[in-house]
Amino acid sequence: MKQPKKVALAYSGGLDTSIIIPWLKENYGCQVVAVCGDIGQGGGELKGLEKKALKTGASEVYVADMREEFLTDYVWPMVRAGAELLAEADLVAPVPLHWRRLFPRRYNQAQLLAARVARRADVLLAPDLLRRRRWTGSQAGLKAKERRRNVRQAFDVHPKWRDKVAGKRVLLVDDVLTTGATADACVRVLERAGVSGVDVLTLARVVRAAL
């Protein structure tokens, strides 16, 4: 068998792939290219992933833009899972990002999902229905009570929608539900605006025994 000179490894940053990089170098004496997928993590997380891969022994890191594939693979399951909610919805709206998070990330993953879901279900999309009016920082590492406190009064309804949402049923879309603190804060704002109801549709949910 011919010894490989260079190996491309799908790199997640986990323990398994971090162990494989030095193993490949030790056993085959080859260069290892760590291939990471950009599915909306944001620049900070990707830079951390790149730094870790290089520290582990990767000769270079390649970041593949997989946002389109991500949407294609997961929007249909979301539409199917949320069929009953979509049938009752008048508007589909994403959980918004603050501009300080949106600028380095370049896009709002929740908005991309909401746009595809709304189009598939033929429901009106309200991409700017909600605004994140203050910077809350990252929620990572915060406990449930801390998350709720952190997002309190962080959202409001965009002025252009204030006279249009009364009596409407809104489907709120996000990528991941962790404790529900962000979704709860959004729901409270919409209820104060007079909507008839709010449902939440997310791609994934974090399950932790401590929550």
Side-chain angles (χ1 to χ4, degrees):
M1 178 179 175
K2 188 177 180 180
Q3 291 287 91
K5 293 182 179 180
K6 183 179 286 189
V7 174
L9 175 69
Y11 185 74
S12 66
L15 180 61
D16 51 353
T17 50
S18 296
I19 290 175
I20 291 173
I21 290 177
W23 182 86
L24 286 169
K25 294 180 67 178
E26 180 180 344
N27 287 273
Y28 293 97
C30 59
Q31 293 183 342
V32 180
V33 179
V35 181
C36 307
D38 179 3
I39 58 172
Q41 305 96 311
E45 185 173 332
L46 287 170
K47 286 181 180 178
L49 200 60
E50 180 178 0
K51 184 178 179 181
K52 186 175 182 180
L54 293 172
K55 185 178 180 180
T56 305
S59 57
E60 57 181 296
V61 178
Y62 174 74
V63 178
D65 187 345
M66 300 179 67
R67 287 171 291 173
E68 189 64 31
E69 289 86 348
F70 177 79
L71 291 171
T72 301
D73 290 343
Y74 291 108
V75 165
W76 174 243
M78 286 184 72
V79 171
R80 186 170 56 187
E84 292 184 9
L85 304 180
L86 284 161
E88 298 178 352
D90 299 302
L91 299 171
V92 173
V95 170
L97 288 179
H98 191 272
W99 68 266
R100 287 176 59 183
R101 184 77 179 274
L102 182 61
F103 184 75
R105 183 184 260 197
R106 309 185 305 280
Y107 55 89
N108 179 0
Q109 190 162 291
Q111 184 169 332
L112 294 178
L113 290 169
R116 296 295 184 89
V117 166
R119 186 161 66 244
R120 284 284 186 93
D122 195 24
V123 180
L124 180 63
L125 175 69
D128 54 353
L129 176 60
L130 291 171
R131 301 185 301 182
R132 203 165 194 135
R133 64 182 188 179
R134 69 174 177 83
W135 172 245
T136 57
S138 174
Q139 295 270 76
L142 298 181
K143 296 180 180 179
K145 288 183 180 180
E146 295 171 330
R147 285 172 176 259
R148 286 193 290 270
R149 190 182 308 116
N150 190 43
V151 296
R152 190 175 298 155
Q153 297 182 337
F155 302 94
D156 67 359
V157 173
H158 193 289
K160 67 180 279 188
W161 289 100
R162 286 175 186 164
D163 297 328
K164 302 176 183 178
V165 296
K168 303 292 186 182
R169 190 166 192 91
V170 177
L171 180 63
L172 190 66
V173 175
D174 204 358
D175 53 352
V176 179
L177 182 75
T178 306
T179 64
T182 299
D184 284 345
C186 291
V187 169
R188 291 175 187 274
V189 167
L190 290 168
E191 288 178 339
R192 286 198 294 270
V195 301
S196 63
V198 184
D199 296 303
V200 179
L201 180 64
T202 66
L203 174 62
R205 179 180 180 182
V206 176
V207 179
R208 296 174 181 170
L211 298 180

PDB file of all heavy atoms in Angstrom, residues 62-89:
ATOM      1  N   TYR A  62      -8.952  23.817   6.470  1.00  0.00           N
ATOM      2  CA  TYR A  62      -9.828  24.286   5.391  1.00  0.00           C
ATOM      3  C   TYR A  62     -11.254  24.362   5.928  1.00  0.00           C
ATOM      4  O   TYR A  62     -11.773  23.385   6.474  1.00  0.00           O
ATOM      5  CB  TYR A  62      -9.777  23.334   4.194  1.00  0.00           C
ATOM      6  CG  TYR A  62     -10.765  23.671   3.104  1.00  0.00           C
ATOM      7  CD1 TYR A  62     -10.557  24.766   2.263  1.00  0.00           C
ATOM      8  CD2 TYR A  62     -11.912  22.911   2.920  1.00  0.00           C
ATOM      9  CE1 TYR A  62     -11.464  25.095   1.273  1.00  0.00           C
ATOM     10  CE2 TYR A  62     -12.830  23.230   1.927  1.00  0.00           C
ATOM     11  CZ  TYR A  62     -12.588  24.322   1.106  1.00  0.00           C
ATOM     12  OH  TYR A  62     -13.503  24.649   0.140  1.00  0.00           O
ATOM     13  N   VAL A  63     -11.870  25.539   5.796  1.00  0.00           N
ATOM     14  CA  VAL A  63     -13.248  25.722   6.256  1.00  0.00           C
ATOM     15  C   VAL A  63     -14.176  25.712   5.048  1.00  0.00           C
ATOM     16  O   VAL A  63     -14.076  26.577   4.167  1.00  0.00           O
ATOM     17  CB  VAL A  63     -13.413  27.044   7.038  1.00  0.00           C
ATOM     18  CG1 VAL A  63     -14.872  27.222   7.453  1.00  0.00           C
ATOM     19  CG2 VAL A  63     -12.504  27.051   8.265  1.00  0.00           C
ATOM     20  N   ALA A  64     -15.036  24.730   4.990  1.00  0.00           N
ATOM     21  CA  ALA A  64     -15.979  24.593   3.878  1.00  0.00           C
ATOM     22  C   ALA A  64     -17.304  25.253   4.234  1.00  0.00           C
ATOM     23  O   ALA A  64     -17.859  25.021   5.312  1.00  0.00           O
ATOM     24  CB  ALA A  64     -16.205  23.111   3.569  1.00  0.00           C
ATOM     25  N   ASP A  65     -17.795  26.102   3.348  1.00  0.00           N
ATOM     26  CA  ASP A  65     -19.091  26.756   3.548  1.00  0.00           C
ATOM     27  C   ASP A  65     -20.194  25.735   3.266  1.00  0.00           C
ATOM     28  O   ASP A  65     -20.471  25.413   2.113  1.00  0.00           O
ATOM     29  CB  ASP A  65     -19.219  27.960   2.622  1.00  0.00           C
ATOM     30  CG  ASP A  65     -20.475  28.786   2.912  1.00  0.00           C
ATOM     31  OD1 ASP A  65     -21.375  28.283   3.609  1.00  0.00           O
ATOM     32  OD2 ASP A  65     -20.561  29.927   2.440  1.00  0.00           O
ATOM     33  N   MET A  66     -20.820  25.240   4.324  1.00  0.00           N
ATOM     34  CA  MET A  66     -21.834  24.197   4.181  1.00  0.00           C
ATOM     35  C   MET A  66     -23.228  24.689   4.557  1.00  0.00           C
ATOM     36  O   MET A  66     -24.119  23.904   4.851  1.00  0.00           O
ATOM     37  CB  MET A  66     -21.457  22.981   5.046  1.00  0.00           C
ATOM     38  CG  MET A  66     -20.124  22.373   4.666  1.00  0.00           C
ATOM     39  SD  MET A  66     -19.675  20.954   5.693  1.00  0.00           S
ATOM     40  CE  MET A  66     -20.935  19.777   5.183  1.00  0.00           C
ATOM     41  N   ARG A  67     -23.412  26.015   4.535  1.00  0.00           N
ATOM     42  CA  ARG A  67     -24.708  26.562   4.934  1.00  0.00           C
ATOM     43  C   ARG A  67     -25.838  26.092   4.023  1.00  0.00           C
ATOM     44  O   ARG A  67     -26.923  25.752   4.489  1.00  0.00           O
ATOM     45  CB  ARG A  67     -24.638  28.090   4.946  1.00  0.00           C
ATOM     46  CG  ARG A  67     -23.836  28.659   6.106  1.00  0.00           C
ATOM     47  CD  ARG A  67     -23.625  30.140   5.959  1.00  0.00           C
ATOM     48  NE  ARG A  67     -22.724  30.442   4.868  1.00  0.00           N
ATOM     49  CZ  ARG A  67     -22.471  31.676   4.430  1.00  0.00           C
ATOM     50  NH1 ARG A  67     -23.065  32.695   4.975  1.00  0.00           N
ATOM     51  NH2 ARG A  67     -21.622  31.858   3.441  1.00  0.00           N
ATOM     52  N   GLU A  68     -25.581  26.071   2.727  1.00  0.00           N
ATOM     53  CA  GLU A  68     -26.622  25.669   1.779  1.00  0.00           C
ATOM     54  C   GLU A  68     -26.996  24.208   1.969  1.00  0.00           C
ATOM     55  O   GLU A  68     -28.184  23.848   1.986  1.00  0.00           O
ATOM     56  CB  GLU A  68     -26.152  25.919   0.350  1.00  0.00           C
ATOM     57  CG  GLU A  68     -27.241  25.727  -0.703  1.00  0.00           C
ATOM     58  CD  GLU A  68     -28.377  26.723  -0.560  1.00  0.00           C
ATOM     59  OE1 GLU A  68     -28.131  27.867  -0.115  1.00  0.00           O
ATOM     60  OE2 GLU A  68     -29.521  26.345  -0.874  1.00  0.00           O
ATOM     61  N   GLU A  69     -25.986  23.344   2.131  1.00  0.00           N
ATOM     62  CA  GLU A  69     -26.244  21.918   2.359  1.00  0.00           C
ATOM     63  C   GLU A  69     -26.991  21.709   3.673  1.00  0.00           C
ATOM     64  O   GLU A  69     -27.892  20.882   3.772  1.00  0.00           O
ATOM     65  CB  GLU A  69     -24.931  21.136   2.385  1.00  0.00           C
ATOM     66  CG  GLU A  69     -24.251  21.003   1.038  1.00  0.00           C
ATOM     67  CD  GLU A  69     -23.367  22.196   0.712  1.00  0.00           C
ATOM     68  OE1 GLU A  69     -23.465  23.217   1.419  1.00  0.00           O
ATOM     69  OE2 GLU A  69     -22.582  22.107  -0.242  1.00  0.00           O
ATOM     70  N   PHE A  70     -26.607  22.495   4.674  1.00  0.00           N
ATOM     71  CA  PHE A  70     -27.244  22.407   5.985  1.00  0.00           C
ATOM     72  C   PHE A  70     -28.737  22.709   5.872  1.00  0.00           C
ATOM     73  O   PHE A  70     -29.587  21.982   6.392  1.00  0.00           O
ATOM     74  CB  PHE A  70     -26.563  23.393   6.933  1.00  0.00           C
ATOM     75  CG  PHE A  70     -27.172  23.458   8.305  1.00  0.00           C
ATOM     76  CD1 PHE A  70     -26.886  22.488   9.254  1.00  0.00           C
ATOM     77  CD2 PHE A  70     -28.026  24.498   8.655  1.00  0.00           C
ATOM     78  CE1 PHE A  70     -27.439  22.554  10.516  1.00  0.00           C
ATOM     79  CE2 PHE A  70     -28.588  24.567   9.914  1.00  0.00           C
ATOM     80  CZ  PHE A  70     -28.291  23.598  10.852  1.00  0.00           C
ATOM     81  N   LEU A  71     -29.054  23.782   5.160  1.00  0.00           N
ATOM     82  CA  LEU A  71     -30.455  24.169   4.995  1.00  0.00           C
ATOM     83  C   LEU A  71     -31.224  23.128   4.194  1.00  0.00           C
ATOM     84  O   LEU A  71     -32.342  22.751   4.557  1.00  0.00           O
ATOM     85  CB  LEU A  71     -30.536  25.529   4.302  1.00  0.00           C
ATOM     86  CG  LEU A  71     -30.064  26.734   5.119  1.00  0.00           C
ATOM     87  CD1 LEU A  71     -29.992  27.967   4.239  1.00  0.00           C
ATOM     88  CD2 LEU A  71     -30.984  26.982   6.305  1.00  0.00           C
ATOM     89  N   THR A  72     -30.622  22.667   3.107  1.00  0.00           N
ATOM     90  CA  THR A  72     -31.282  21.686   2.246  1.00  0.00           C
ATOM     91  C   THR A  72     -31.613  20.408   3.011  1.00  0.00           C
ATOM     92  O   THR A  72     -32.696  19.835   2.860  1.00  0.00           O
ATOM     93  CB  THR A  72     -30.391  21.353   1.037  1.00  0.00           C
ATOM     94  OG1 THR A  72     -30.128  22.553   0.304  1.00  0.00           O
ATOM     95  CG2 THR A  72     -31.076  20.347   0.122  1.00  0.00           C
ATOM     96  N   ASP A  73     -30.674  19.969   3.849  1.00  0.00           N
ATOM     97  CA  ASP A  73     -30.854  18.709   4.570  1.00  0.00           C
ATOM     98  C   ASP A  73     -31.869  18.799   5.703  1.00  0.00           C
ATOM     99  O   ASP A  73     -32.551  17.817   6.006  1.00  0.00           O
ATOM    100  CB  ASP A  73     -29.517  18.242   5.158  1.00  0.00           C
ATOM    101  CG  ASP A  73     -28.551  17.776   4.079  1.00  0.00           C
ATOM    102  OD1 ASP A  73     -29.008  17.517   2.950  1.00  0.00           O
ATOM    103  OD2 ASP A  73     -27.345  17.685   4.356  1.00  0.00           O
ATOM    104  N   TYR A  74     -31.998  19.981   6.327  1.00  0.00           N
ATOM    105  CA  TYR A  74     -32.777  20.050   7.560  1.00  0.00           C
ATOM    106  C   TYR A  74     -34.087  20.830   7.485  1.00  0.00           C
ATOM    107  O   TYR A  74     -34.916  20.732   8.388  1.00  0.00           O
ATOM    108  CB  TYR A  74     -31.915  20.625   8.685  1.00  0.00           C
ATOM    109  CG  TYR A  74     -30.819  19.679   9.108  1.00  0.00           C
ATOM    110  CD1 TYR A  74     -29.496  19.927   8.790  1.00  0.00           C
ATOM    111  CD2 TYR A  74     -31.127  18.512   9.805  1.00  0.00           C
ATOM    112  CE1 TYR A  74     -28.493  19.047   9.165  1.00  0.00           C
ATOM    113  CE2 TYR A  74     -30.134  17.637  10.177  1.00  0.00           C
ATOM    114  CZ  TYR A  74     -28.814  17.907   9.857  1.00  0.00           C
ATOM    115  OH  TYR A  74     -27.830  17.027  10.223  1.00  0.00           O
ATOM    116  N   VAL A  75     -34.286  21.614   6.431  1.00  0.00           N
ATOM    117  CA  VAL A  75     -35.526  22.390   6.363  1.00  0.00           C
ATOM    118  C   VAL A  75     -36.741  21.487   6.197  1.00  0.00           C
ATOM    119  O   VAL A  75     -37.765  21.680   6.869  1.00  0.00           O
ATOM    120  CB  VAL A  75     -35.455  23.428   5.225  1.00  0.00           C
ATOM    121  CG1 VAL A  75     -36.846  23.982   4.914  1.00  0.00           C
ATOM    122  CG2 VAL A  75     -34.538  24.573   5.616  1.00  0.00           C
ATOM    123  N   TRP A  76     -36.649  20.491   5.308  1.00  0.00           N
ATOM    124  CA  TRP A  76     -37.811  19.625   5.100  1.00  0.00           C
ATOM    125  C   TRP A  76     -38.228  18.899   6.376  1.00  0.00           C
ATOM    126  O   TRP A  76     -39.430  18.857   6.691  1.00  0.00           O
ATOM    127  CB  TRP A  76     -37.549  18.637   3.969  1.00  0.00           C
ATOM    128  CG  TRP A  76     -38.651  17.632   3.801  1.00  0.00           C
ATOM    129  CD1 TRP A  76     -38.575  16.295   3.943  1.00  0.00           C
ATOM    130  CD2 TRP A  76     -40.028  17.907   3.501  1.00  0.00           C
ATOM    131  NE1 TRP A  76     -39.793  15.699   3.732  1.00  0.00           N
ATOM    132  CE2 TRP A  76     -40.713  16.676   3.472  1.00  0.00           C
ATOM    133  CE3 TRP A  76     -40.737  19.081   3.257  1.00  0.00           C
ATOM    134  CZ2 TRP A  76     -42.068  16.582   3.201  1.00  0.00           C
ATOM    135  CZ3 TRP A  76     -42.094  18.984   2.988  1.00  0.00           C
ATOM    136  CH2 TRP A  76     -42.749  17.747   2.959  1.00  0.00           C
ATOM    137  N   PRO A  77     -37.308  18.323   7.173  1.00  0.00           N
ATOM    138  CA  PRO A  77     -37.728  17.721   8.433  1.00  0.00           C
ATOM    139  C   PRO A  77     -38.398  18.724   9.373  1.00  0.00           C
ATOM    140  O   PRO A  77     -39.328  18.371  10.102  1.00  0.00           O
ATOM    141  CB  PRO A  77     -36.404  17.205   9.035  1.00  0.00           C
ATOM    142  CG  PRO A  77     -35.551  16.938   7.852  1.00  0.00           C
ATOM    143  CD  PRO A  77     -35.885  18.031   6.883  1.00  0.00           C
ATOM    144  N   MET A  78     -37.929  19.979   9.356  1.00  0.00           N
ATOM    145  CA  MET A  78     -38.564  21.000  10.194  1.00  0.00           C
ATOM    146  C   MET A  78     -39.988  21.267   9.731  1.00  0.00           C
ATOM    147  O   MET A  78     -40.912  21.386  10.545  1.00  0.00           O
ATOM    148  CB  MET A  78     -37.759  22.303  10.153  1.00  0.00           C
ATOM    149  CG  MET A  78     -36.465  22.272  10.933  1.00  0.00           C
ATOM    150  SD  MET A  78     -35.636  23.887  10.942  1.00  0.00           S
ATOM    151  CE  MET A  78     -36.704  24.838  12.032  1.00  0.00           C
ATOM    152  N   VAL A  79     -40.180  21.364   8.410  1.00  0.00           N
ATOM    153  CA  VAL A  79     -41.516  21.612   7.871  1.00  0.00           C
ATOM    154  C   VAL A  79     -42.450  20.459   8.208  1.00  0.00           C
ATOM    155  O   VAL A  79     -43.609  20.664   8.590  1.00  0.00           O
ATOM    156  CB  VAL A  79     -41.439  21.818   6.338  1.00  0.00           C
ATOM    157  CG1 VAL A  79     -42.838  21.853   5.724  1.00  0.00           C
ATOM    158  CG2 VAL A  79     -40.689  23.099   6.020  1.00  0.00           C
ATOM    159  N   ARG A  80     -41.940  19.259   8.088  1.00  0.00           N
ATOM    160  CA  ARG A  80     -42.756  18.082   8.379  1.00  0.00           C
ATOM    161  C   ARG A  80     -43.108  18.011   9.867  1.00  0.00           C
ATOM    162  O   ARG A  80     -44.267  17.746  10.231  1.00  0.00           O
ATOM    163  CB  ARG A  80     -42.006  16.823   7.955  1.00  0.00           C
ATOM    164  CG  ARG A  80     -42.817  15.541   8.086  1.00  0.00           C
ATOM    165  CD  ARG A  80     -42.101  14.398   7.434  1.00  0.00           C
ATOM    166  NE  ARG A  80     -40.758  14.217   7.969  1.00  0.00           N
ATOM    167  CZ  ARG A  80     -39.875  13.377   7.477  1.00  0.00           C
ATOM    168  NH1 ARG A  80     -40.169  12.642   6.427  1.00  0.00           N
ATOM    169  NH2 ARG A  80     -38.684  13.265   8.022  1.00  0.00           N
ATOM    170  N   ALA A  81     -42.118  18.255  10.726  1.00  0.00           N
ATOM    171  CA  ALA A  81     -42.361  18.195  12.177  1.00  0.00           C
ATOM    172  C   ALA A  81     -43.301  19.308  12.633  1.00  0.00           C
ATOM    173  O   ALA A  81     -44.086  19.120  13.570  1.00  0.00           O
ATOM    174  CB  ALA A  81     -41.030  18.288  12.927  1.00  0.00           C
ATOM    175  N   GLY A  82     -43.206  20.465  11.974  1.00  0.00           N
ATOM    176  CA  GLY A  82     -44.033  21.599  12.392  1.00  0.00           C
ATOM    177  C   GLY A  82     -45.248  21.829  11.516  1.00  0.00           C
ATOM    178  O   GLY A  82     -45.795  22.943  11.500  1.00  0.00           O
ATOM    179  N   ALA A  83     -45.701  20.801  10.819  1.00  0.00           N
ATOM    180  CA  ALA A  83     -46.817  20.947   9.874  1.00  0.00           C
ATOM    181  C   ALA A  83     -48.071  21.518  10.523  1.00  0.00           C
ATOM    182  O   ALA A  83     -48.717  22.420   9.970  1.00  0.00           O
ATOM    183  CB  ALA A  83     -47.127  19.598   9.222  1.00  0.00           C
ATOM    184  N   GLU A  84     -48.426  21.033  11.700  1.00  0.00           N
ATOM    185  CA  GLU A  84     -49.637  21.514  12.365  1.00  0.00           C
ATOM    186  C   GLU A  84     -49.487  22.970  12.791  1.00  0.00           C
ATOM    187  O   GLU A  84     -50.445  23.753  12.708  1.00  0.00           O
ATOM    188  CB  GLU A  84     -49.948  20.641  13.584  1.00  0.00           C
ATOM    189  CG  GLU A  84     -50.360  19.216  13.226  1.00  0.00           C
ATOM    190  CD  GLU A  84     -50.744  18.408  14.447  1.00  0.00           C
ATOM    191  OE1 GLU A  84     -50.856  19.008  15.540  1.00  0.00           O
ATOM    192  OE2 GLU A  84     -50.932  17.184  14.313  1.00  0.00           O
ATOM    193  N   LEU A  85     -48.291  23.334  13.249  1.00  0.00           N
ATOM    194  CA  LEU A  85     -48.043  24.710  13.677  1.00  0.00           C
ATOM    195  C   LEU A  85     -48.072  25.657  12.482  1.00  0.00           C
ATOM    196  O   LEU A  85     -48.615  26.761  12.553  1.00  0.00           O
ATOM    197  CB  LEU A  85     -46.692  24.815  14.388  1.00  0.00           C
ATOM    198  CG  LEU A  85     -46.474  23.892  15.590  1.00  0.00           C
ATOM    199  CD1 LEU A  85     -45.088  24.119  16.188  1.00  0.00           C
ATOM    200  CD2 LEU A  85     -47.551  24.123  16.639  1.00  0.00           C
ATOM    201  N   LEU A  86     -47.481  25.217  11.375  1.00  0.00           N
ATOM    202  CA  LEU A  86     -47.454  26.037  10.168  1.00  0.00           C
ATOM    203  C   LEU A  86     -48.850  26.231   9.590  1.00  0.00           C
ATOM    204  O   LEU A  86     -49.159  27.287   9.024  1.00  0.00           O
ATOM    205  CB  LEU A  86     -46.535  25.396   9.127  1.00  0.00           C
ATOM    206  CG  LEU A  86     -45.035  25.563   9.393  1.00  0.00           C
ATOM    207  CD1 LEU A  86     -44.232  24.532   8.616  1.00  0.00           C
ATOM    208  CD2 LEU A  86     -44.593  26.978   9.021  1.00  0.00           C
ATOM    209  N   ALA A  87     -49.686  25.224   9.730  1.00  0.00           N
ATOM    210  CA  ALA A  87     -51.052  25.318   9.207  1.00  0.00           C
ATOM    211  C   ALA A  87     -51.856  26.399   9.924  1.00  0.00           C
ATOM    212  O   ALA A  87     -52.789  26.975   9.345  1.00  0.00           O
ATOM    213  CB  ALA A  87     -51.748  23.964   9.345  1.00  0.00           C
ATOM    214  N   GLU A  88     -51.498  26.692  11.161  1.00  0.00           N
ATOM    215  CA  GLU A  88     -52.219  27.687  11.952  1.00  0.00           C
ATOM    216  C   GLU A  88     -51.546  29.055  11.936  1.00  0.00           C
ATOM    217  O   GLU A  88     -52.117  30.045  12.405  1.00  0.00           O
ATOM    218  CB  GLU A  88     -52.340  27.211  13.404  1.00  0.00           C
ATOM    219  CG  GLU A  88     -53.131  25.921  13.579  1.00  0.00           C
ATOM    220  CD  GLU A  88     -53.176  25.474  15.028  1.00  0.00           C
ATOM    221  OE1 GLU A  88     -52.465  26.086  15.851  1.00  0.00           O
ATOM    222  OE2 GLU A  88     -53.918  24.523  15.335  1.00  0.00           O
ATOM    223  N   ALA A  89     -50.322  29.138  11.420  1.00  0.00           N
ATOM    224  CA  ALA A  89     -49.544  30.374  11.499  1.00  0.00           C
ATOM    225  C   ALA A  89     -49.943  31.404  10.443  1.00  0.00           C
ATOM    226  O   ALA A  89     -50.215  31.059   9.293  1.00  0.00           O
ATOM    227  CB  ALA A  89     -48.057  30.053  11.361  1.00  0.00           C
TER     228      ALA A  89
END
